[in-house]
């Protein structure tokens, strides 16, 4: 028997406005409100809002919180200042990515972790099984709802409703106990679109009022479809496709999230070696030069017909009109601008590596 999908506090509202709902990581979430292209363009040109309340939230506290997190995660938590966030990963002993997440330092010994929705329970079980540290780990996901407000005009829109000066906030800055239209929130300068913007953590009963506040200000309601096209254009990986327990952060080219100067951490033997000597595979951006849209798991071949990898993510870019994607390929095969073949169903379509999507 299938378990019932989890719902955010906006679920009834989604039904009222006729949003298209899908199963995403065990949550019933909107994939689009009007059209993916319109929502995508709103974020690139103006302001879009996303309900990301499906994300998890953990607190880690205790006198040994830094030591614990430095062993459990790949980045160096000791370098994280209060009211700053850091991108990091949880890896297994083989260096594969169990999850990628943001971690915030709320005070010297209190940290706030934001795992992906579909990995939350796995992450919590993994972290709580690590012994030998004086820490307390609590899953506080039910206590939070989250709005992501993204786009070139998002900062001005949020600024209208807070007394704090947001002009100096930079990527991964955070402010605690901010009053936003009378609601107590954690405000983070972060997002998953490649645009300026904020993620706003609040009590679940604040979500609908703040959502409608931004909508009435002119923000476009956006779903998971635009979230995916935006993040792929920005070159940001998605766990479950570009990242997985079988793909290391070095292979996925997020080596900046792995601090090889730390002492031992989970997966460190392999990750330190790959960071120093290279990884056997690399996640590589590409564009289709022939007609066809790449999709996850499509096979990649060299021009002589030898398989060299597979597509992890692909779409048609609303901004450029080009078909773009990520492919995990043999490191020895990759060269800038190199041509290769993507097998789209039974057709062999030419493609070319690019440094970034334009």
């Amino acid at each position: 028997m299938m378990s019932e999908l989890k719902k955010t506090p906006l679920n009834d509202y989604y039904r009222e406005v006729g949003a298209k709902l899908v199963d995403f990581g065990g949550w019933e979430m909107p994939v689009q409100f009007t059209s993916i292209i319109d929502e995508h363009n709103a974020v690139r040109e103006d302001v879009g809002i996303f309900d990301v309340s499906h994300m998890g939230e953990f607190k880690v506290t205790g006198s040994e919180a830094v030591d614990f997190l430095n062993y459990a995660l790949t980045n160096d938590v000791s370098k994280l200042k209060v009211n700053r966030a850091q991108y990091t990963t949880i890896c297994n002993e083989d260096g594969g990515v169990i999850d990628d997440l943001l971690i915030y330092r709320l005070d010297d010994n209190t940290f706030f972790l934001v795992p992906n929705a579909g990995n939350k329970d796995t992450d919590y079980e993994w972290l709580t099984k690590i012994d030998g540290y004086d820490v307390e780990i609590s899953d506080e996901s039910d206590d939070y709802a989250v709005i992501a407000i993204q786009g070139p005009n998002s900062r001005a829109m949020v600024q209208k409703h807070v007394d704090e000066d947001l002009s100096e906030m930079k990527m991964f800055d955070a402010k605690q106990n901010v009053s936003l239209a009378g609601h107590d929130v954690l405000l983070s300068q972060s997002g998953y679109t490649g645009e300026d913007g904020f993620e706003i953590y609040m009590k679940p009963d604040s979500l609908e009022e703040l959502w409608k506040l931004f909508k009435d200000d002119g923000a476009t309601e956006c779903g998971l479809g635009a979230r995916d096209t935006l993040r792929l254009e920005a070159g940001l990986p998605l766990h479950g496709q570009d990242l997985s327990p079988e793909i290391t952060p070095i292979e996925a080219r997020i080596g900046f999230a792995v601090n090889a100067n730390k002492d031992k951490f989970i997966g460190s033997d392999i990750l330190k070696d790959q960071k120093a000597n290279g990884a056997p595979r690399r996640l590589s951006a590409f564009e289709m030069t022939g007609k066809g849209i790449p999709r996850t798991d499509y096979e990649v071949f060299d021009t002589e017909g030898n398989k060299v990898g597979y597509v992890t993510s692909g779409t048609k870019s609303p901004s450029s009109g080009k078909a773009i994607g990520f492919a995990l390929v043999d490191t020895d095969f990759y060269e800038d601008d190199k041509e290769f073949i993507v097998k789209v169903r039974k057709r062999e379509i030419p493609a070319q590596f690019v440094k970034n999507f334009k």
Side-chain angles (χ1 to χ4, degrees):
M1 184 176 176
M2 291 182 64
S3 59
E4 186 176 348
L5 294 178
K6 298 174 185 176
K7 298 174 174 62
T8 82
L10 286 178
N11 189 267
D12 288 343
Y13 171 77
Y14 293 150
R15 295 178 179 280
E16 288 173 20
V17 299
K20 183 180 179 182
L21 301 173
V22 297
D23 177 356
F24 181 78
W27 288 76
E28 189 171 58
M29 298 294 293
V31 69
Q32 66 189 70
F33 289 83
T34 53
S35 84
I36 291 173
I37 292 176
D38 288 347
E39 293 166 22
H40 177 108
N41 290 336
V43 174
R44 288 282 180 253
E45 298 165 6
D46 189 13
V47 186
I49 48 172
F50 302 82
D51 177 9
V52 289
S53 303
H54 59 308
M55 302 292 280
E57 289 86 20
F58 302 159
K59 285 256 182 79
V60 176
T61 60
S63 61
E64 296 182 330
V66 171
D67 290 340
F68 167 77
L69 290 166
N70 260 357
Y71 176 70
L73 307 176
T74 58
N75 216 330
D76 189 351
V77 174
S78 70
K79 296 182 179 298
L80 191 56
K81 296 179 179 178
V82 173
N83 291 326
R84 285 282 293 163
Q86 184 183 72
Y87 180 67
T88 188
T89 62
I90 303 175
C91 287
N92 56 35
E93 295 290 358
D94 295 326
V97 181
I98 294 171
D99 202 7
D100 65 326
L101 63 159
L102 282 183
I103 177 170
Y104 295 81
R105 192 168 198 163
L106 302 185
D107 61 38
D108 285 350
N109 296 315
T110 305
F111 295 84
F112 185 66
L113 281 64
V114 185
N116 284 296
N119 299 330
K120 178 181 75 71
D121 294 342
T122 300
D123 293 356
Y124 185 75
E125 183 178 2
W126 180 269
L127 292 173
T128 54
K129 283 185 175 179
I130 298 173
D131 294 325
Y133 295 91
D134 181 19
V135 294
E136 180 177 335
I137 307 167
S138 55
D139 181 353
E140 302 189 358
S141 305
D142 291 342
D143 298 333
Y144 289 92
V146 190
I147 287 174
I149 179 163
Q150 301 282 294
N153 296 323
S154 58
R155 189 177 296 253
M157 184 176 286
V158 176
Q159 183 67 80
K160 287 169 51 181
H161 302 289
V162 299
D163 292 332
E164 311 257 350
D165 180 13
L166 306 184
S167 62
E168 299 301 317
M169 282 188 77
K170 57 185 183 296
M171 192 64 170
F172 291 161
D173 276 350
K175 289 180 180 285
Q176 301 179 55
N177 304 120
V178 173
S179 178
L180 197 162
H183 297 262
D184 182 48
V185 305
L186 169 68
L187 193 64
S188 169
Q189 211 279 295
S190 54
Y192 193 48
T193 64
E195 296 293 339
D196 191 21
F198 296 85
E199 289 172 312
I200 306 166
Y201 298 81
M202 68 199 73
K203 293 179 180 178
D205 59 8
S206 297
L207 180 62
E208 187 166 354
E209 183 178 329
L210 291 183
W211 181 271
K212 290 179 177 178
L213 174 75
F214 290 125
K215 182 192 175 186
D216 290 345
D217 271 356
T220 296
E221 297 172 309
C222 301
L224 293 170
R227 185 171 165 87
D228 193 54
T229 56
L230 288 158
R231 69 91 191 170
L232 186 51
E233 280 187 358
L236 302 173
L238 174 65
H239 196 276
Q241 292 179 200
D242 315 300
L243 302 168
S244 79
E246 289 73 46
I247 301 172
T248 74
I250 312 304
E251 290 177 321
R253 297 172 66 216
I254 54 168
F256 60 88
V258 178
N259 189 302
N261 297 319
K262 292 196 302 179
D263 291 334
K264 185 174 178 61
F265 55 94
I266 299 175
S268 60
D269 290 347
I270 288 173
L271 294 176
K272 287 184 178 186
D273 178 70
Q274 287 189 355
K275 198 154 191 183
N277 303 310
R281 304 178 297 179
R282 59 165 280 155
L283 194 69
S284 305
F286 69 91
E287 293 176 354
M288 303 294 286
T289 55
K291 193 171 182 180
I293 298 176
R295 300 297 185 194
T296 303
D297 293 332
Y298 282 7
E299 294 178 317
V300 172
F301 297 86
D302 65 19
T303 52
E304 279 75 52
N306 302 299
K307 185 178 176 182
V308 293
Y310 66 95
V311 175
T312 57
S313 288
T315 193
K316 184 175 181 181
S317 163
S319 297
S320 69
K322 297 176 180 178
I324 62 172
F326 283 139
L328 190 67
V329 299
D330 298 338
T331 299
D332 292 343
F333 175 72
Y334 179 87
E335 292 176 12
D336 289 349
D337 303 321
K338 188 172 187 174
E339 296 182 349
F340 60 93
I341 299 295
V342 176
K343 194 168 184 180
V344 178
R345 299 184 180 89
K346 294 183 178 180
R347 296 182 299 140
E348 295 183 350
I349 311 296
Q352 185 177 33
F353 292 124
V354 295
K355 289 185 179 179
N356 49 57
F357 305 121
K358 297 177 182 177

